[in-house]
Coordinates of all heavy atoms in Angstrom, one line a residue:
I1 N 121.6 24.2 136.7 CA 123.0 24.4 136.3 C 123.4 25.9 136.7 O 122.5 26.8 136.8 CB 123.2 24.2 134.8 CG1 122.3 25.1 134.0 CG2 122.9 22.7 134.5 CD1 122.6 25.0 132.5
S2 N 124.6 26.1 136.9 CA 125.2 27.4 137.2 C 125.2 28.3 136.0 O 125.0 27.9 134.8 CB 126.6 27.3 137.8 OG 127.5 26.9 136.8
R3 N 125.4 29.6 136.2 CA 125.5 30.5 135.1 C 126.7 30.2 134.2 O 126.6 30.3 133.0 CB 125.6 32.0 135.7 CG 125.9 33.1 134.7 CD 125.9 34.4 135.4 NE 126.8 34.3 136.6 CZ 126.6 35.2 137.6 NH1 125.7 36.2 137.5 NH2 127.4 35.1 138.6
E4 N 127.8 29.7 134.8 CA 128.9 29.4 134.0 C 128.7 28.2 133.1 O 129.1 28.2 132.0 CB 130.1 29.1 135.0 CG 130.6 30.3 135.8 CD 129.6 30.7 136.9 OE1 129.2 29.7 137.6 OE2 129.4 31.9 137.2
E5 N 128.0 27.2 133.7 CA 127.7 26.0 132.9 C 126.7 26.4 131.8 O 126.8 25.8 130.7 CB 127.2 24.9 133.8 CG 126.8 23.6 133.0 CD 128.0 23.0 132.3 OE1 129.2 23.2 132.7 OE2 127.8 22.3 131.3
Y6 N 125.8 27.3 132.1 CA 124.8 27.7 131.1 C 125.5 28.4 129.9 O 125.2 28.1 128.7 CB 123.8 28.7 131.7 CG 122.9 29.3 130.8 CD1 121.7 28.6 130.3 CD2 123.1 30.6 130.2 CE1 120.8 29.2 129.4 CE2 122.2 31.2 129.4 CZ 121.1 30.5 129.0 OH 120.2 31.1 128.1
L7 N 126.5 29.2 130.2 CA 127.3 29.9 129.2 C 128.1 28.9 128.4 O 128.2 29.1 127.1 CB 128.2 31.0 129.8 CG 127.5 32.2 130.4 CD1 128.6 33.1 131.2 CD2 126.8 33.0 129.4
R8 N 128.6 27.9 129.0 CA 129.4 26.9 128.3 C 128.5 26.1 127.3 O 128.9 25.9 126.2 CB 130.1 26.0 129.3 CG 131.0 24.9 128.7 CD 131.8 24.2 129.7 NE 132.9 24.9 130.2 CZ 132.9 25.5 131.4 NH1 131.9 25.3 132.2 NH2 133.9 26.2 131.8
R9 N 127.3 25.7 127.8 CA 126.4 25.0 126.9 C 125.9 25.8 125.8 O 125.7 25.4 124.7 CB 125.3 24.4 127.8 CG 125.8 23.3 128.8 CD 124.6 22.7 129.5 NE 125.0 21.8 130.5 CZ 124.2 21.0 131.2 NH1 122.9 21.0 131.0 NH2 124.6 20.2 132.2
Q10 N 125.6 27.1 126.1 CA 125.1 28.0 125.1 C 126.2 28.2 124.0 O 125.9 28.2 122.8 CB 124.8 29.4 125.7 CG 124.2 30.4 124.8 CD 123.9 31.7 125.5 OE1 124.8 32.3 126.1 NE2 122.7 32.2 125.4
G11 N 127.5 28.3 124.4 CA 128.5 28.4 123.5 C 128.7 27.2 122.6 O 128.9 27.3 121.4
Q12 N 128.5 26.1 123.2 CA 128.5 24.8 122.4 C 127.4 24.8 121.3 O 127.6 24.3 120.2 CB 128.5 23.6 123.3 CG 129.7 23.4 124.2 CD 129.5 22.3 125.2 OE1 128.4 22.0 125.6 NE2 130.6 21.8 125.6
R13 N 126.2 25.2 121.7 CA 125.1 25.2 120.8 C 125.2 26.2 119.7 O 124.9 25.9 118.5 CB 123.8 25.4 121.6 CG 123.3 24.3 122.5 CD 121.9 24.5 122.9 NE 121.7 25.8 123.5 CZ 121.7 26.0 124.8 NH1 122.0 25.1 125.6 NH2 121.5 27.2 125.3
I14 N 125.6 27.4 120.0 CA 125.6 28.5 119.1 C 126.9 28.5 118.2 O 126.9 28.8 117.0 CB 125.4 29.9 119.8 CG1 124.1 29.8 120.5 CG2 125.5 31.0 118.8 CD1 123.8 31.1 121.3
N15 N 128.0 28.3 118.9 CA 129.3 28.5 118.2 C 130.0 27.2 117.9 O 131.2 27.2 117.6 CB 130.3 29.3 119.1 CG 129.7 30.7 119.5 OD1 129.0 31.3 118.6 ND2 129.8 31.1 120.7
N16 N 129.3 26.1 117.8 CA 129.8 24.8 117.5 C 131.1 24.5 118.3 O 132.2 24.3 117.8 CB 130.2 24.8 116.0 CG 128.9 24.9 115.1 OD1 127.9 24.4 115.4 ND2 129.1 25.7 114.0
A17 N 130.9 24.5 119.6 CA 131.9 24.1 120.6 C 133.0 25.2 120.8 O 134.0 25.0 121.5 CB 132.6 22.8 120.2
E18 N 132.8 26.4 120.2 CA 133.7 27.5 120.5 C 133.3 28.3 121.7 O 132.3 29.0 121.7 CB 133.8 28.5 119.3 CG 134.8 29.6 119.5 CD 134.9 30.5 118.3 OE1 134.5 30.1 117.2 OE2 135.3 31.7 118.5
I19 N 133.9 28.1 122.8 CA 133.5 28.6 124.1 C 134.4 29.7 124.6 O 135.6 29.6 124.5 CB 133.5 27.4 125.1 CG1 132.6 26.3 124.7 CG2 133.0 27.9 126.5 CD1 132.7 25.0 125.5
D20 N 133.8 30.7 125.1 CA 134.5 31.9 125.6 C 134.9 31.6 127.1 O 134.2 32.0 128.0 CB 133.6 33.2 125.5 CG 134.4 34.4 125.8 OD1 135.5 34.3 126.4 OD2 133.9 35.5 125.5
E21 N 136.0 30.9 127.3 CA 136.4 30.5 128.6 C 136.7 31.7 129.5 O 136.6 31.7 130.7 CB 137.6 29.6 128.5 CG 137.2 28.2 127.9 CD 136.3 27.4 128.9 OE1 136.1 27.8 130.0 OE2 135.8 26.3 128.4
A22 N 137.2 32.8 128.9 CA 137.6 34.0 129.6 C 136.3 34.6 130.3 O 136.4 35.0 131.4 CB 138.3 35.0 128.7
K23 N 135.3 34.6 129.5 CA 134.0 35.2 130.0 C 133.5 34.3 131.1 O 133.0 34.8 132.1 CB 133.0 35.3 128.9 CG 131.7 35.9 129.3 CD 130.7 36.1 128.1 CE 129.4 36.7 128.5 NZ 128.5 36.8 127.4
I24 N 133.5 33.0 130.9 CA 133.1 32.1 131.9 C 133.9 32.2 133.2 O 133.3 32.2 134.3 CB 133.1 30.6 131.4 CG1 132.1 30.4 130.3 CG2 132.9 29.6 132.5 CD1 132.2 29.1 129.6
A25 N 135.2 32.4 133.1 CA 136.0 32.5 134.3 C 135.7 33.9 135.0 O 135.7 33.9 136.2 CB 137.5 32.5 133.9
E26 N 135.4 34.9 134.2 CA 135.1 36.2 134.8 C 133.8 36.1 135.6 O 133.8 36.6 136.8 CB 134.9 37.2 133.6 CG 134.5 38.6 134.1 CD 134.3 39.6 133.0 OE1 133.7 39.2 132.0 OE2 134.7 40.8 133.1
Y27 N 132.8 35.5 135.1 CA 131.6 35.3 135.9 C 131.8 34.4 137.1 O 131.2 34.6 138.2 CB 130.5 34.8 135.0 CG 129.8 35.9 134.2 CD1 130.1 36.1 132.9 CD2 128.8 36.6 134.8 CE1 129.5 37.1 132.2 CE2 128.2 37.7 134.1 CZ 128.5 37.9 132.8 OH 127.9 38.9 132.1

């Protein structure tokens, strides 16, 4: 998986589906 998908899945695991889309878009 890409770094962006990794961050998205990490956000889902840690923040209960609260994902930092701005950070993902930046990367």
Side-chain angles (χ1 to χ4, degrees):
I1 61 175
S2 67
R3 175 175 46 201
E4 296 75 39
E5 180 60 25
Y6 175 83
L7 291 173
R8 182 173 285 105
R9 295 186 185 185
Q10 185 182 52
Q12 290 173 338
R13 289 195 304 267
I14 299 175
N15 302 321
N16 297 321
E18 183 180 336
I19 302 172
D20 190 344
E21 291 292 349
K23 181 178 181 180
I24 293 174
E26 180 181 39
Y27 277 98

